Amino acid sequence: MRTTTLGSKGPETGVIGLGCMGMTFAYEMKAPRDDATSVSVIHQALDLGSTLIDTADVYGPYTNEELVGRALAGGRRERALLATKVGLYVADPTGGPDDSPLIVNNGRPEHVRQSIDESLRRLGTDHVDLYQLHRVDPEVPLEETWGAMAEVVAAGKARFIGLSEVTVEQIERAQAVHPVASVQSEMSLWTRDALDEVLPYCEQEGIAFLPFSPLGRGFLAGRFTSFDDLPEDDFRRRLPRFQQDALRANLAIVGRVREIAERAEATAAQVALAWVVAQGRFVIPIPGTKTPKYLADNAGAADVQLSAADLAALDALPAPQGGRY
């Protein structure tokens, strides 16, 4: 796989990473886990060059880090650029909408200091390559949270630290305390907010940008044609873009992506990912999957070269119907 670096000062990694959330913290809340297949998918990702492996303590909670730790045991840890997160926790397993987990912010410095040690234990390693603040806690000054994360670097428990879902102003505040290596936010053909300010700022400052949900939660890959295609307990059933009328309108976006994919001799997913990669030097999408077939398809996007005309056509796609959440 083609490689880039984690920003201007970070280590080398494949241009497409792997998001592990769905392996234990799935869209289908009651779906059975298949840890053996998930471990094999992580091994396959490393073999294909998708070396950025992204997890978080809140996924599960905790079980995702444990799974990733098992997958990276036996000499594979040094092949991965291992990333995890802190700053969210499950306050009540069934206290959210429709009995979903109630997840709340926690950016207190003492929580950061405690959480890194617990994450390292679950991951079976003495350091992570990238430690990310999952969300900024509005009740705690960002400088205090980021200062605690800088302590994690000073202690040798993380090589680099990053932010997630932040504004340029928040990145600047963090930068004044300690260098920001990466910013993780949603970006895809149907979620382009970061292109206005955050991504240009990251590019200017040599900060890596890690788009999550680069396939529009699977929609841009052409996997859904109707609301009824979603399993009964699927989280996406609550999202505005997947409601029947909006979904029907949004299928036009997928249709255009498929047309370009046919010309490029690629899949719709590969075209959607190739567009994301083309948005900047240090843009590293982290599509999530727990399926070997989809992993190979996603990794193959690194070899897709879109023409200027194709990129322009993708840039001109209409905005989707419905909000992100």
Side-chain angles (χ1 to χ4, degrees), residues 137-189:
D137 188 340
E139 303 299 321
V140 180
L142 175 57
E143 290 79 3
E144 293 184 12
T145 307
W146 197 246
M149 296 187 70
E151 293 174 13
V152 171
V153 176
K157 297 176 183 179
R159 297 173 64 193
F160 300 93
I161 50 178
L163 295 162
S164 179
E165 294 278 73
V166 287
T167 64
V168 168
E169 185 265 342
Q170 289 171 324
I171 301 171
E172 291 174 333
R173 287 171 58 190
Q175 285 273 76
V177 176
H178 187 277
V180 175
S182 66
V183 170
Q184 182 173 148
S185 289
E186 183 171 353
M187 187 174 78
S188 69
L189 284 169

